[in-house]
Amino acid sequence: RLRAAKVSYQDVKLADGATLAEVDPALPEGSPVPAPGGEGWDVSNEWTASIDRRANYYGIQTGYRIAASFERAIDGMSDFHYKLAGLSLFRAKQILERHNLVLRASLGVGRDLPFQQEYLLGGTAMRGYVNNQFRGDFKALANIEYSVPLMTIKGFSVRGLAFVDSGYAT
């Protein structure tokens, strides 16, 4: 995959509750908020290899997926110079007739990642946290889910879900 994007920051604001002193104590009060990263063209090439044997039948997932990826900014075309590599694993198993166990894990390592390419954690990948709350050049993530049917009426099913999400980004 070849990807190109023009990176710019039009209206930079602080998150609710954040102060300018937390961003940079040397900035005088009332200064404009600095952009989170550099601007320019981000052009990269990504290679992905995967084995995908997943299936979903009436909300019950089965099978596995293994994927590895490598992305690199294209020198001479990109204003950024970075590399990142990732590995993700997915395994789902049907338990009893309509119970489901799903395991997910991923690992990502980057070098010199610009703001827009940093690994992100939070939201749907780490429930209970704000979307993209954690970011960095390294991430490790693991999810375990177990779901059971609570009620089914004419093909519509309400399921209960127990899960554990754990992650690390730096």
Side-chain angles (χ1 to χ4, degrees):
R1 171 177 87 129
L2 179 64
R3 186 185 61 79
K6 176 71 171 159
V7 178
S8 64
Y9 304 99
Q10 300 299 322
D11 188 18
V12 180
K13 297 179 183 175
L14 290 174
D16 290 339
T19 65
L20 198 56
E22 292 172 326
V23 175
D24 186 350
L27 290 174
E29 194 59 41
S31 297
V33 179
E39 297 183 347
W41 281 98
D42 182 1
V43 182
S44 67
N45 189 12
E46 180 182 20
W47 293 86
T48 302
S50 66
I51 299 171
D52 195 343
R53 300 286 186 248
R54 296 174 296 172
N56 191 328
Y57 187 72
Y58 283 101
I60 303 296
Q61 300 178 72
T62 58
Y64 64 92
R65 180 177 189 266
I66 302 168
S69 65
F70 177 76
E71 183 174 356
R72 179 181 178 172
I74 299 174
D75 293 335
M77 295 177 73
S78 181
D79 294 319
F80 304 94
H81 306 284
Y82 62 89
K83 297 175 185 174
L84 48 92
L87 176 66
S88 65
L89 308 169
F90 173 95
R91 177 72 170 112
K93 184 172 175 70
Q94 180 178 351
I95 309 287
L96 301 174
E97 186 179 332
R98 296 183 50 220
H99 293 212
N100 206 186
L101 176 66
V102 178
L103 309 168
R104 290 181 191 91
S106 66
L107 183 67
V109 178
R111 193 177 96 204
D112 300 324
L113 297 183
F115 182 78
Q116 73 275 3
Q117 287 298 107
E118 288 180 337
Y119 289 110
L120 306 170
L121 289 179
T124 56
M126 279 210 20
R127 293 160 279 206
Y129 293 94
V130 176
N131 279 342
N132 307 335
Q133 183 172 352
F134 307 105
R135 58 186 321 127
D137 289 358
F138 174 83
K139 83 161 185 176
L141 179 65
N143 309 99
I144 301 171
E145 296 180 358
Y146 191 84
S147 66
V148 298
L150 298 176
M151 174 180 66
T152 303
I153 301 170
K154 294 186 180 185
F156 177 75
S157 181
V158 175
R159 300 182 65 81
L161 177 70
F163 63 88
V164 174
D165 293 341
S166 182
Y168 178 77
T170 187

